[in-house]
PDB file of all heavy atoms in Angstrom:
ATOM      1  N   LEU P  90     -40.750  40.195  -4.900  1.00  0.00           N
ATOM      2  CA  LEU P  90     -41.327  39.360  -5.984  1.00  0.00           C
ATOM      3  C   LEU P  90     -40.317  38.126  -6.251  1.00  0.00           C
ATOM      4  O   LEU P  90     -40.760  37.207  -6.997  1.00  0.00           O
ATOM      5  CB  LEU P  90     -41.413  40.152  -7.251  1.00  0.00           C
ATOM      6  CG  LEU P  90     -42.482  41.219  -7.158  1.00  0.00           C
ATOM      7  CD1 LEU P  90     -42.429  42.183  -8.391  1.00  0.00           C
ATOM      8  CD2 LEU P  90     -43.834  40.702  -7.087  1.00  0.00           C
ATOM      9  N   GLY P  91     -39.141  38.121  -5.733  1.00  0.00           N
ATOM     10  CA  GLY P  91     -38.252  37.035  -5.845  1.00  0.00           C
ATOM     11  C   GLY P  91     -37.806  36.679  -7.306  1.00  0.00           C
ATOM     12  O   GLY P  91     -37.668  35.558  -7.664  1.00  0.00           O
ATOM     13  N   ILE P  92     -37.520  37.726  -7.959  1.00  0.00           N
ATOM     14  CA  ILE P  92     -37.079  37.560  -9.426  1.00  0.00           C
ATOM     15  C   ILE P  92     -35.625  37.216  -9.361  1.00  0.00           C
ATOM     16  O   ILE P  92     -34.709  38.023  -8.792  1.00  0.00           O
ATOM     17  CB  ILE P  92     -37.269  38.854 -10.267  1.00  0.00           C
ATOM     18  CG1 ILE P  92     -38.670  39.297 -10.247  1.00  0.00           C
ATOM     19  CG2 ILE P  92     -36.787  38.627 -11.647  1.00  0.00           C
ATOM     20  CD1 ILE P  92     -38.964  40.669 -10.886  1.00  0.00           C
ATOM     21  N   PRO P  93     -35.196  36.104  -9.924  1.00  0.00           N
ATOM     22  CA  PRO P  93     -33.759  35.623  -9.805  1.00  0.00           C
ATOM     23  C   PRO P  93     -32.845  36.602 -10.634  1.00  0.00           C
ATOM     24  O   PRO P  93     -33.317  37.106 -11.638  1.00  0.00           O
ATOM     25  CB  PRO P  93     -33.778  34.217 -10.375  1.00  0.00           C
ATOM     26  CG  PRO P  93     -35.069  34.007 -11.084  1.00  0.00           C
ATOM     27  CD  PRO P  93     -36.019  35.007 -10.550  1.00  0.00           C
ATOM     28  N   MET P  94     -31.607  36.705 -10.187  1.00  0.00           N
ATOM     29  CA  MET P  94     -30.666  37.545 -10.939  1.00  0.00           C
ATOM     30  C   MET P  94     -29.940  36.526 -11.963  1.00  0.00           C
ATOM     31  O   MET P  94     -29.930  35.248 -11.676  1.00  0.00           O
ATOM     32  CB  MET P  94     -29.693  38.165 -10.028  1.00  0.00           C
ATOM     33  CG  MET P  94     -28.715  37.395  -9.285  1.00  0.00           C
ATOM     34  SD  MET P  94     -27.131  37.090 -10.124  1.00  0.00           S
ATOM     35  CE  MET P  94     -26.644  35.550  -9.328  1.00  0.00           C
ATOM     36  N   ILE P  95     -29.329  37.034 -12.911  1.00  0.00           N
ATOM     37  CA  ILE P  95     -28.588  36.199 -13.853  1.00  0.00           C
ATOM     38  C   ILE P  95     -27.113  36.655 -13.800  1.00  0.00           C
ATOM     39  O   ILE P  95     -26.852  37.974 -13.769  1.00  0.00           O
ATOM     40  CB  ILE P  95     -29.164  36.230 -15.298  1.00  0.00           C
ATOM     41  CG1 ILE P  95     -28.418  35.266 -16.190  1.00  0.00           C
ATOM     42  CG2 ILE P  95     -29.192  37.728 -15.947  1.00  0.00           C
ATOM     43  CD1 ILE P  95     -29.085  35.104 -17.566  1.00  0.00           C
ATOM     44  N   TYR P  96     -26.216  35.725 -13.727  1.00  0.00           N
ATOM     45  CA  TYR P  96     -24.786  36.095 -13.542  1.00  0.00           C
ATOM     46  C   TYR P  96     -24.031  35.856 -14.901  1.00  0.00           C
ATOM     47  O   TYR P  96     -24.083  34.763 -15.493  1.00  0.00           O
ATOM     48  CB  TYR P  96     -24.180  35.268 -12.472  1.00  0.00           C
ATOM     49  CG  TYR P  96     -22.776  35.702 -11.932  1.00  0.00           C
ATOM     50  CD1 TYR P  96     -22.675  36.344 -10.711  1.00  0.00           C
ATOM     51  CD2 TYR P  96     -21.664  35.578 -12.772  1.00  0.00           C
ATOM     52  CE1 TYR P  96     -21.475  36.795 -10.323  1.00  0.00           C
ATOM     53  CE2 TYR P  96     -20.428  36.028 -12.280  1.00  0.00           C
ATOM     54  CZ  TYR P  96     -20.277  36.674 -11.058  1.00  0.00           C
ATOM     55  OH  TYR P  96     -19.072  37.218 -10.634  1.00  0.00           O
ATOM     56  N   GLY P  97     -23.299  36.857 -15.340  1.00  0.00           N
ATOM     57  CA  GLY P  97     -22.643  36.850 -16.627  1.00  0.00           C
ATOM     58  C   GLY P  97     -21.119  36.819 -16.553  1.00  0.00           C
ATOM     59  O   GLY P  97     -20.526  37.383 -15.592  1.00  0.00           O
ATOM     60  N   ILE P  98     -20.452  36.228 -17.503  1.00  0.00           N
ATOM     61  CA  ILE P  98     -18.986  36.219 -17.495  1.00  0.00           C
ATOM     62  C   ILE P  98     -18.461  35.982 -18.933  1.00  0.00           C
ATOM     63  O   ILE P  98     -19.081  35.454 -19.726  1.00  0.00           O
ATOM     64  CB  ILE P  98     -18.435  35.021 -16.591  1.00  0.00           C
ATOM     65  CG1 ILE P  98     -16.964  35.269 -16.261  1.00  0.00           C
ATOM     66  CG2 ILE P  98     -18.669  33.639 -17.238  1.00  0.00           C
ATOM     67  CD1 ILE P  98     -16.499  34.428 -15.044  1.00  0.00           C
ATOM     68  N   ASP P  99     -17.273  36.523 -19.229  1.00  0.00           N
ATOM     69  CA  ASP P  99     -16.654  36.373 -20.501  1.00  0.00           C
ATOM     70  C   ASP P  99     -16.029  34.991 -20.615  1.00  0.00           C
ATOM     71  O   ASP P  99     -14.873  34.804 -20.456  1.00  0.00           O
ATOM     72  CB  ASP P  99     -15.555  37.373 -20.835  1.00  0.00           C
ATOM     73  CG  ASP P  99     -16.199  38.766 -21.093  1.00  0.00           C
ATOM     74  OD1 ASP P  99     -16.438  39.036 -22.172  1.00  0.00           O
ATOM     75  OD2 ASP P  99     -16.275  39.536 -20.122  1.00  0.00           O
ATOM     76  N   ALA P 100     -16.810  33.979 -21.030  1.00  0.00           N
ATOM     77  CA  ALA P 100     -16.279  32.641 -21.324  1.00  0.00           C
ATOM     78  C   ALA P 100     -16.027  32.589 -22.850  1.00  0.00           C
ATOM     79  O   ALA P 100     -16.882  32.105 -23.555  1.00  0.00           O
ATOM     80  CB  ALA P 100     -17.236  31.576 -20.789  1.00  0.00           C
ATOM     81  N   VAL P 101     -14.962  33.249 -23.345  1.00  0.00           N
ATOM     82  CA  VAL P 101     -14.826  33.493 -24.709  1.00  0.00           C
ATOM     83  C   VAL P 101     -13.960  32.418 -25.440  1.00  0.00           C
ATOM     84  O   VAL P 101     -13.946  32.325 -26.665  1.00  0.00           O
ATOM     85  CB  VAL P 101     -14.224  34.842 -25.053  1.00  0.00           C
ATOM     86  CG1 VAL P 101     -15.288  35.839 -24.621  1.00  0.00           C
ATOM     87  CG2 VAL P 101     -12.952  35.135 -24.313  1.00  0.00           C
ATOM     88  N   HIS P 102     -13.171  31.615 -24.724  1.00  0.00           N
ATOM     89  CA  HIS P 102     -12.531  30.461 -25.293  1.00  0.00           C
ATOM     90  C   HIS P 102     -12.358  29.414 -24.223  1.00  0.00           C
ATOM     91  O   HIS P 102     -11.362  29.068 -23.713  1.00  0.00           O
ATOM     92  CB  HIS P 102     -11.150  30.801 -25.973  1.00  0.00           C
ATOM     93  CG  HIS P 102     -10.070  31.390 -25.123  1.00  0.00           C
ATOM     94  ND1 HIS P 102      -8.725  31.128 -25.243  1.00  0.00           N
ATOM     95  CD2 HIS P 102     -10.125  32.267 -24.051  1.00  0.00           C
ATOM     96  CE1 HIS P 102      -8.048  31.750 -24.256  1.00  0.00           C
ATOM     97  NE2 HIS P 102      -8.836  32.464 -23.610  1.00  0.00           N
ATOM     98  N   GLY P 103     -13.604  28.916 -23.831  1.00  0.00           N
ATOM     99  CA  GLY P 103     -13.695  28.065 -22.713  1.00  0.00           C
ATOM    100  C   GLY P 103     -13.992  29.024 -21.486  1.00  0.00           C
ATOM    101  O   GLY P 103     -14.100  30.249 -21.691  1.00  0.00           O
ATOM    102  N   HIS P 104     -14.032  28.498 -20.268  1.00  0.00           N
ATOM    103  CA  HIS P 104     -14.406  29.236 -19.140  1.00  0.00           C
ATOM    104  C   HIS P 104     -13.123  29.906 -18.544  1.00  0.00           C
ATOM    105  O   HIS P 104     -12.629  29.566 -17.518  1.00  0.00           O
ATOM    106  CB  HIS P 104     -15.029  28.249 -18.039  1.00  0.00           C
ATOM    107  CG  HIS P 104     -15.774  29.027 -16.954  1.00  0.00           C
ATOM    108  ND1 HIS P 104     -16.128  30.315 -17.022  1.00  0.00           N
ATOM    109  CD2 HIS P 104     -16.361  28.478 -15.881  1.00  0.00           C
ATOM    110  CE1 HIS P 104     -16.782  30.645 -15.948  1.00  0.00           C
ATOM    111  NE2 HIS P 104     -16.960  29.576 -15.281  1.00  0.00           N
ATOM    112  N   ASN P 105     -12.659  30.824 -19.356  1.00  0.00           N
ATOM    113  CA  ASN P 105     -11.313  31.309 -19.306  1.00  0.00           C
ATOM    114  C   ASN P 105     -10.822  32.130 -18.087  1.00  0.00           C
ATOM    115  O   ASN P 105      -9.607  32.397 -17.886  1.00  0.00           O
ATOM    116  CB  ASN P 105     -10.881  32.061 -20.530  1.00  0.00           C
ATOM    117  CG  ASN P 105     -11.946  33.174 -20.876  1.00  0.00           C
ATOM    118  OD1 ASN P 105     -12.731  33.070 -21.718  1.00  0.00           O
ATOM    119  ND2 ASN P 105     -11.857  34.307 -20.167  1.00  0.00           N
ATOM    120  N   THR P 106     -11.715  32.530 -17.231  1.00  0.00           N
ATOM    121  CA  THR P 106     -11.432  33.218 -15.990  1.00  0.00           C
ATOM    122  C   THR P 106     -11.069  32.208 -14.863  1.00  0.00           C
ATOM    123  O   THR P 106     -10.533  32.664 -13.816  1.00  0.00           O
ATOM    124  CB  THR P 106     -12.507  34.228 -15.619  1.00  0.00           C
ATOM    125  OG1 THR P 106     -12.761  35.001 -16.741  1.00  0.00           O
ATOM    126  CG2 THR P 106     -12.125  35.186 -14.521  1.00  0.00           C
ATOM    127  N   VAL P 107     -11.548  30.957 -15.077  1.00  0.00           N
ATOM    128  CA  VAL P 107     -11.596  30.076 -13.906  1.00  0.00           C
ATOM    129  C   VAL P 107     -10.319  29.150 -13.959  1.00  0.00           C
ATOM    130  O   VAL P 107     -10.000  28.555 -14.991  1.00  0.00           O
ATOM    131  CB  VAL P 107     -12.884  29.216 -13.955  1.00  0.00           C
ATOM    132  CG1 VAL P 107     -12.847  28.113 -12.960  1.00  0.00           C
ATOM    133  CG2 VAL P 107     -14.039  30.144 -13.732  1.00  0.00           C
ATOM    134  N   TYR P 108      -9.683  29.064 -12.741  1.00  0.00           N
ATOM    135  CA  TYR P 108      -8.502  28.268 -12.625  1.00  0.00           C
ATOM    136  C   TYR P 108      -8.789  26.717 -12.954  1.00  0.00           C
ATOM    137  O   TYR P 108      -9.868  26.204 -12.461  1.00  0.00           O
ATOM    138  CB  TYR P 108      -7.966  28.367 -11.141  1.00  0.00           C
ATOM    139  CG  TYR P 108      -6.703  27.727 -10.862  1.00  0.00           C
ATOM    140  CD1 TYR P 108      -5.519  28.232 -11.364  1.00  0.00           C
ATOM    141  CD2 TYR P 108      -6.592  26.578 -10.068  1.00  0.00           C
ATOM    142  CE1 TYR P 108      -4.301  27.656 -11.143  1.00  0.00           C
ATOM    143  CE2 TYR P 108      -5.382  25.971  -9.804  1.00  0.00           C
ATOM    144  CZ  TYR P 108      -4.160  26.478 -10.333  1.00  0.00           C
ATOM    145  OH  TYR P 108      -3.017  25.888 -10.066  1.00  0.00           O
TER     146      TYR P 108
END
Side-chain angles (χ1 to χ4, degrees):
L90 295 167
I92 303 171
M94 67 91 206
I95 186 169
Y96 195 105
I98 197 164
D99 284 276
V101 295
H102 60 143
H104 198 7
N105 50 257
T106 308
V107 173
Y108 188 71

